[in-house]
Amino acid sequence: MLNPARNSIPQKIETIHIMGICGTGMAALAGMLKQSGYTITGSDSHIYPPMSDFLKQIDILPFEGYRAENLEHKPDLVIVGNVITRKNPEAQALAASDLAYLSFPQALAEFFIQSRKSIVISGTHGKTTTCSILASALFHAGLDPSFMIGGIVAGFNSNNRVGNGPFFVAEGDEYDTAFFDKESKFLHYRPHIAVITSIEFDHADIFDDIEQIKASFRKFIKLLPADGLIIAHLDDPNVAEVVADASCKVEGYGFAPQNDWILDYPVTLGNRTEFGFTYNRDAFNLAIPLTGRHNCLNSMAVTAVLHHAGLPVDTIQQCLDKFGGVKRRQEIRGKARGVTVIDDFAHHPTAVKLTLEGLKMAYPGNRLVAVFEPRTNSSRRSIFQTSYIEAFADADAVVLREPVPLENIAVEDHFSSSRLAEDIRVKNRHVWSFQTTDEILEHLAGLLEEGDIVAILSNGGFDNIHERLLQLLGA
């Protein structure tokens, strides 16, 4: 067991060792710390591109594999990643040592958040996109923000930045912190302004039910100071419930009239969406280079934050116009033989539904083919088996991959793509399920026609299906 007394930051730090350094967030943190002047070492069991290339570029050569001797140089501080278990040999060596240690969220807060005003974007859906829009807008407004985000922001070609401005934008994940801290990550981020986009059941590997998730959000809300601000999507009854007892100011956004920021239903023109909104009975219009009602909501939350930062609506519009998107969020990977291949991170049923709805709005005259890989710990469980049926309502054709089974859960608790295909087929929709990505590619080669839009949905690499499909189509 790690000694809780050593879970602190030393007064003098020159060398920092990062366990699990090849995770997207951990590698980004390594780069931020390196940029701040610290000597960085690290270790991981999976060292390969693109993270290995990134670390090499910033002159960090991690140890391959976890071993006790990786700590023999006695770093001043060890940062322990979420992938590390208590049985990890390096974690056991850390427990036997007198070295100080922090989790990833603790380190981010101690080194980068505490000296700035923290804006934490939280919620089951939309965190990465909302964070990215906000960070981009603050930058183009000349406010030089710092940020750590769960996706690559196209305008920066990075998921992190250390700026000199007053704001730090953090993606507030409700997932657990580390093996020695099972509380949610966002409880470490010292919020002064918080956005709550949505609250639904997810992360079935760490939460038993929605009540546990709401309990974690209630703890988060209690962290806001009296002069803080919560921008909350009050159309979501779970969000409305948890913010009801907030001790700071709460402003709601959404389509319903009880909100402070009230959206009109949007009009989509290609890859651009226009919508009106009212605030304090004043009416305004905005346009965003994104599609879907969910992205209008994300942009509305950003607008509310920027308004409270002192930006007028016309300046906010100029900043939104410069947003270049986020990797893996409705990202067009290429076109071949008249077929457009789009990559998206959506995996929760609600995210799948909203993503496909937005794409149907953007391409109303085209056939929309959804290709889905259930890959998360939640989507590979049967808890969402029926929820996915309507999630694909806007797709004209659906192609499903059978998930890799989770270990240590009963067979009857596994998600079944073939069963989902049968249920969707009852709705008179074209749907197929396959065991492998190779079978999916073979099927798509015969299915796709000029003008089709292919939305590939997965939170993983999906066996590089995007590039393989484009090559198969002759790109």
Side-chain angles (χ1 to χ4, degrees), residues 75-86:
D76 299 315
L77 177 66
V78 178
I79 299 175
V80 183
N82 181 266
V83 299
I84 306 301
T85 68
R86 65 181 70 255

Side-chain angles (χ1 to χ4, degrees), residues 43-66:
S43 56
D44 210 301
S45 59
H46 302 289
I47 300 176
Y48 48 79
M51 284 303 118
S52 58
D53 293 338
F54 168 75
L55 292 169
K56 186 176 181 180
Q57 288 172 4
I58 59 175
D59 200 26
I60 297 175
L61 300 177
F63 299 112
E64 180 87 50
Y66 299 110

Side-chain angles (χ1 to χ4, degrees), residues 1-3 6 71 86 89-98 179:
M1 290 290 291
L2 295 177
N3 182 352
R6 292 188 286 104
L71 297 178
R86 65 181 70 255
E90 212 163 300
Q92 292 178 344
L94 176 62
S97 75
D98 60 356
F179 74 83

Side-chain angles (χ1 to χ4, degrees), residues 132-176:
S132 302
I133 298 170
L134 178 58
S136 173
L138 289 169
F139 175 80
H140 290 296
L143 295 174
D144 198 15
S146 302
F147 62 78
M148 172 68 80
I149 299 173
I152 302 298
V153 188
F156 302 98
N157 197 30
S158 176
N159 69 339
N160 70 93
R161 184 175 189 271
V162 180
N164 294 313
F167 297 110
F168 192 103
V169 179
E171 181 166 337
D173 190 354
E174 68 270 26
Y175 205 77
D176 63 353

Side-chain angles (χ1 to χ4, degrees), residues 117-118 191-194 221 223-231 246-251 308:
K117 181 174 286 190
S118 178
H192 190 86
I193 298 173
I221 288 165
L223 298 175
L224 274 291
D227 63 345
L229 172 68
I230 298 173
I231 305 297
S247 59
C248 66
K249 183 177 182 180
V250 176
E251 288 192 352
H308 286 284

Side-chain angles (χ1 to χ4, degrees), residues 53-338:
D53 293 338
F54 168 75
L55 292 169
K56 186 176 181 180
Q57 288 172 4
I58 59 175
D59 200 26
I60 297 175
L61 300 177
F63 299 112
E64 180 87 50
Y66 299 110
R67 296 181 296 274
E69 50 264 39
N70 293 346
L71 297 178
E72 286 181 350
H73 61 294
K74 295 190 181 302
D76 299 315
L77 177 66
V78 178
I79 299 175
V80 183
N82 181 266
V83 299
I84 306 301
T85 68
R86 65 181 70 255
K87 295 180 180 179
N88 182 294
E90 212 163 300
Q92 292 178 344
L94 176 62
S97 75
D98 60 356
L99 299 175
Y101 66 92
L102 295 174
S103 66
F104 165 81
Q106 286 178 311
L108 189 65
E110 290 285 352
F111 287 99
F112 300 105
I113 293 179
Q114 70 166 342
S115 60
R116 298 172 173 89
K117 181 174 286 190
S118 178
I119 306 175
V120 182
I121 311 299
S122 68
T124 310
H125 314 296
K127 294 186 294 293
T128 297
T129 300
T130 305
C131 274
S132 302
I133 298 170
L134 178 58
S136 173
L138 289 169
F139 175 80
H140 290 296
L143 295 174
D144 198 15
S146 302
F147 62 78
M148 172 68 80
I149 299 173
I152 302 298
V153 188
F156 302 98
N157 197 30
S158 176
N159 69 339
N160 70 93
R161 184 175 189 271
V162 180
N164 294 313
F167 297 110
F168 192 103
V169 179
E171 181 166 337
D173 190 354
E174 68 270 26
Y175 205 77
D176 63 353
T177 295
F179 74 83
F180 54 86
D181 179 358
K182 306 312 286 183
E183 295 279 20
S184 295
K185 291 178 183 176
F186 60 25
L187 298 181
H188 294 283
Y189 291 160
R190 310 177 189 189
H192 190 86
I193 298 173
V195 172
I196 306 178
T197 65
S198 50
I199 299 176
E200 286 195 74
F201 182 66
D202 199 3
H203 307 307
D205 50 327
I206 61 170
F207 293 112
D208 292 334
D209 52 38
I210 186 64
E211 293 306 319
Q212 285 191 357
I213 294 176
K214 288 192 287 190
S216 191
F217 273 90
R218 287 190 176 95
K219 290 179 183 178
F220 172 67
I221 288 165
K222 287 181 179 178
L223 298 175
L224 274 291
D227 63 345
L229 172 68
I230 298 173
I231 305 297
H233 181 211
L234 295 183
D235 291 0
D236 184 324
N238 290 325
V239 175
E241 178 185 333
V242 301
V243 302
D245 296 325
S247 59
C248 66
K249 183 177 182 180
V250 176
E251 288 192 352
Y253 70 96
F255 293 98
Q258 75 265 25
N259 290 288
D260 300 277
W261 301 81
I262 305 171
L263 286 79
D264 294 330
Y265 277 83
V267 176
T268 299
L269 305 169
N271 289 318
R272 190 172 178 82
T273 305
E274 298 177 355
F275 63 95
F277 71 92
T278 58
Y279 177 69
N280 285 341
R281 298 183 179 180
D282 293 326
F284 304 91
N285 292 295
L286 277 181
I288 56 174
L290 299 163
T291 62
R293 287 189 308 140
H294 60 303
N295 281 322
C296 295
L297 288 166
N298 295 337
S299 300
M300 191 79 272
V302 168
T303 297
V305 173
L306 296 175
H307 166 79
H308 286 284
L311 274 64
V313 172
D314 57 346
T315 300
I316 293 172
Q317 177 66 79
Q318 293 169 16
C319 294
L320 293 177
D321 283 337
K322 296 175 182 177
F323 179 60
V326 192
K327 297 284 187 182
R328 307 218 57 209
R329 271 66 177 181
Q330 296 187 13
E331 178 189 6
I332 297 177
R333 293 289 293 268
K335 298 181 181 180
R337 206 189 302 164

